[in-house]
Amino acid sequence: MTVTLPAAERQRVRWLGRVEYDEAWDLQKAIWEGRVDGRTRDDYLLLLEHDHVYTVGRNGDGSNLLLAPEALEPLGAILRDVDRGGDITYHGPGQLVGYPIQAVRQLPRGYDMVGHVRRIEQMLIATLAELGVETWAEDGYTGVWTEKGKVAAIGVRVARGVSMHGFALNVDPDLEYFTRIVPCGIGDRPVTSLVELLGRDVSLEEVVETLLPHANRVLGEAPAEVQLGAFARGAGRGFDVDEMIAAGVFSPRSRGEVPVVIRGLLAGEPERPEWMKVKAHLNTDGYKDLKHLMRDQNLNTVCEEAGCPNIYECWSQGTATLMLLGDKCTRACAFCDVTTGRPGEVDLDEPQRAAAAVVAMGLNHAVLTSVNRDDLPDGGAAIFAETIRRIRDDLPECDVEVLIPDFKGDTDALDIVMEAKPSVLNHNTETVLRLQRDIRTAANYGRSLALLARAKWANPSGTVKSGLIVGMGETEEEIRGALADLRAVGVDIVTIGQYLRPTARHRKIDRYVHPDEFARYAAEGERLGLPHVESGPLVRSSYHARDSLASAQ
């Protein structure tokens, strides 16, 4: 039985850069699920590249892999059986991969899968023609062909009226990897690349820019909304955060040249408006008691380490966000004041002390976070899990919210945390796709979305949360697109707050976002179906965390 899905409101196109295959597959599945179930009314086209991977479709049995599976590891490659059509193919660096996740036209019997494939072929043929290469589709085969062989493979799946998987266009991959397989099960036809056909260097950026108008014209009937992450090749420019790291911005004893600040402002920064001015209430009993408690228990708080503007309000009310695993972070993000450095040994007694602090504060909603601990095999997941369990043992009525790092995409680490059943799993996306590389080191927008989707799958009745910071150079349209992405993968709560530069060495404030714009973000989140958006100049990830959870349930 076929079901007619509503027409797409937007076609959202995303260049995600390099994304691990398993993460991209889960991201596809999450958006597919959202489109099928009505969580999102948008079609998507994900554009990216992968590390070396061989994928075997439903029509393959692995026999067209020409070497033993155990021989793949020395090549830096993995093997995956997937649910698309076709036989075996290869993905890797220098290859543009596209995943259209779209409602497919309904026919009297079934869905127009053949038409969907033909439209992908038309898009690629038009793109390559504009780049100066004559290509064509051939009867009886899928893909795009040239006089030197196949330049693009296509394999799709359509289920419940929505497509997954898509195409792989050989821009400049290492063609040697194709010699280890019978590509698509076709043994008498060679494989070629765009660079080989043109006889010149071609970047993924050039191909994506050429493809976009054809994708919007051929694949999408809805208005296109396009967001592009950074390109590793092509533009050739550096990133702000790289310059900041080189200047020693994140060193605990930075001795680099300090930028000139006049009246508290860097050159070109706007004046701080009235709505961003916060009064300090240092002498309230609640603030002083909580400060003494943190020191007595030898605990860190992100409130202090990140210079949160709400520390006086929250601490006066007896709430704080505990920061586990020390106060040294293995990453250097351009917005953050937590010190980058070599972390110390893991304190195995910290979960017990954290639970004791939560009991002493009498909390009914505790928030835990941590520095990034990329030095640990599990990224610190076991400490998170043990702290959740300790709090639950000592204070069963307390909800526990965890704000976790990405664990470098390690699903086992995420599972460790999720098995402890946090009430809220929070992982911040921080900024829009275009600014990810400038703002977050060693992080990835696609990875963050996949993590949020995986968390929702692990505990469907739990709450998944993410946060964005504005005023760092993004546009209002980009934030709206990020909200749509978060909704598409199943996020329940989003926080949006103003960036405040921690020191003169950190990223410059681009603008102060007016409260009216924050209100528009909240209204857009409601329109998209997000259960709760906490949006305002002073909002941070754990601001009004208990109230946000109640609103989302």
Side-chain angles (χ1 to χ4, degrees):
M1 176 181 176
T2 59
V3 177
T4 301
L5 293 170
E9 292 182 355
R10 302 292 294 269
Q11 178 179 232
R12 300 195 185 272
V13 182
R14 302 289 185 260
W15 161 252
L16 298 173
R18 186 76 64 85
V19 182
E20 290 185 7
Y21 186 81
D22 292 345
E23 291 171 339
W25 194 1
D26 282 350
L27 178 54
Q28 283 190 79
K29 287 187 284 190
I31 297 175
W32 172 87
E33 176 187 86
R35 187 70 172 99
V36 165
D37 293 343
R39 191 169 61 215
T40 178
R41 288 280 299 272
D42 300 322
D43 287 342
Y44 273 79
L45 173 59
L46 306 181
L47 301 171
L48 43 89
E49 68 175 338
H50 290 306
D51 291 317
H52 304 294
V53 56
Y54 295 102
T55 66
V56 181
R58 293 190 306 268
N59 299 332
D61 59 7
S63 61
N64 285 315
L65 178 67
L66 302 180
L67 70 174
E70 56 268 24
L72 294 176
E73 185 174 354
L75 297 174
I78 60 175
L79 179 67
R80 293 291 182 264
D81 292 306
V82 296
D83 55 0
R84 60 163 172 80
D87 202 300
I88 193 168
T89 193
Y90 161 79
H91 300 313
Q95 185 187 70
L96 176 62
V97 178
Y99 297 129
I101 308 167
Q102 301 183 316
V104 177
R105 297 170 186 171
Q106 186 176 346
L107 298 175
R109 295 182 179 178
Y111 296 102
D112 187 18
M113 184 182 295
V114 173
H116 178 64
V117 170
R118 296 295 171 248
R119 285 187 288 276
I120 295 174
E121 289 173 343
Q122 292 169 24
M123 174 188 67
L124 295 174
I125 289 169
T127 299
L128 293 168
E130 188 172 334
L131 289 166
V133 177
E134 182 182 359
T135 60
W136 56 85
E138 293 193 0
D139 292 338
Y141 295 100
T142 60
V144 177
W145 302 83
T146 74
E147 60 183 9
K148 289 188 176 182
K150 192 173 190 177
V151 71
I154 297 174
V156 303
R157 171 179 182 253
V158 176
R160 298 175 64 186
V162 178
S163 66
M164 282 182 62
H165 304 288
F167 66 87
L169 173 61
N170 299 330
V171 178
D172 188 21
D174 182 351
L175 295 177
E176 185 68 20
Y177 277 85
F178 285 97
T179 66
R180 281 103 181 192
I181 61 173
V182 180
C184 302
I186 305 172
D188 58 348
R189 304 290 292 273
V191 172
T192 188
S193 70
L194 192 52
V195 165
E196 188 174 74
L197 292 164
L198 288 174
R200 66 174 179 85
D201 289 339
V202 185
S203 68
L204 289 175
E205 184 173 10
E206 180 183 356
V207 177
V208 168
E209 289 177 348
T210 307
L211 178 139
L212 287 176
H214 301 292
N216 297 339
R217 175 179 57 83
V218 176
L219 290 183
E221 297 178 359
E225 184 260 323
V226 179
Q227 294 199 31
L228 307 179
F231 286 89
R233 296 181 275 269
R237 74 171 187 87
F239 295 94
D240 293 347
V241 73
D242 297 324
E243 298 171 5
M244 295 162 76
I245 292 171
V249 170
F250 307 100
S251 167
R253 292 190 179 88
S254 176
R255 291 189 174 87
E257 184 178 344
V258 179
V260 175
V261 176
I262 300 175
R263 293 182 293 106
L265 303 176
L266 293 173
E269 275 191 331
E271 295 277 354
R272 180 172 292 201
E274 283 298 321
W275 66 77
M276 288 306 307
K277 296 177 180 176
V278 181
K279 292 183 179 180
H281 301 285
L282 300 176
N283 296 318
T284 62
D285 290 339
Y287 179 88
K288 290 187 291 185
D289 290 346
L290 192 48
K291 191 174 184 69
H292 290 149
L293 176 63
M294 293 302 115
R295 299 297 81 81
D296 290 345
Q297 293 287 354
N298 192 27
L299 295 170
N300 299 298
T301 71
V302 75
C303 321
E304 297 168 288
E305 296 296 334
C308 180
N310 303 310
I311 187 171
Y312 313 111
E313 175 188 352
C314 295
W315 282 30
S316 295
Q317 296 173 358
T319 62
T321 297
L322 303 182
M323 191 168 76
L324 307 174
L325 296 160
D327 60 357
K328 299 290 192 303
C329 185
T330 55
R331 300 187 190 179
C333 296
F335 63 89
C336 185
D337 200 26
V338 176
T339 301
T340 298
R342 186 185 299 277
E345 295 294 321
V346 174
D347 182 351
L348 298 179
D349 292 329
E350 187 174 46
Q352 180 179 357
R353 296 199 312 277
V358 169
V359 171
M361 286 186 279
L363 297 184
N364 49 29
H365 190 104
V367 183
L368 311 172
T369 189
S370 77
V371 292
N372 278 281
R373 291 297 302 261
D374 294 326
D375 59 311
L376 301 176
D378 71 347
I383 293 294
F384 269 107
E386 181 62 18
T387 307
I388 295 168
R389 287 190 286 266
R390 290 277 188 166
I391 294 172
R392 289 267 168 74
D393 289 344
D394 296 345
L395 202 62
E397 66 274 18
C398 182
D399 289 323
V400 183
E401 175 174 332
V402 292
L403 171 56
I404 63 170
D406 63 19
F407 298 132
K408 296 190 289 188
D410 184 348
T411 55
D412 290 339
L414 178 61
D415 287 344
I416 289 171
V417 175
M418 296 307 298
E419 285 167 5
K421 290 289 194 296
S423 305
V424 181
L425 189 289
N426 187 357
H427 171 70
N428 283 339
T429 319
E430 307 292 9
T431 189
V432 298
L433 176 55
R434 176 175 56 87
L435 295 177
Q436 288 284 313
R437 183 62 186 87
D438 261 348
I439 304 300
R440 307 167 77 200
T441 60
N444 179 290
Y445 190 77
R447 168 169 291 171
S448 290
L449 292 179
L451 181 152
L452 293 163
R454 289 166 170 171
K456 193 64 176 178
W457 292 330
N459 184 14
S461 63
T463 299
V464 175
K465 179 176 176 181
S466 192
L468 296 165
I469 307 169
V470 295
M472 296 194 288
E474 75 294 325
T475 67
E476 183 167 345
E477 182 65 17
E478 286 176 318
I479 291 292
R480 289 171 176 267
L483 287 172
D485 297 346
L486 293 169
R487 174 59 178 161
V489 300
V491 170
D492 302 296
I493 298 174
V494 178
T495 58
I496 309 174
Q498 171 69 48
Y499 168 60
L500 296 175
R501 173 175 46 77
T503 73
R505 296 176 179 276
H506 281 78
R507 184 182 182 85
K508 184 186 299 185
I509 297 170
D510 179 73
R511 66 188 176 112
Y512 286 101
V513 175
H514 193 275
D516 289 349
E517 186 173 327
F518 281 107
R520 291 197 295 273
Y521 293 143
E524 177 67 4
E526 182 178 356
R527 186 193 72 80
L528 290 166
L530 281 160
H532 184 75
V533 176
E534 188 78 24
S535 179
L538 297 178
V539 167
R540 293 297 182 266
S541 295
S542 55
Y543 188 58
H544 293 170
R546 179 190 175 198
D547 295 338
S548 296
L549 175 59
S551 296
Q553 291 179 331

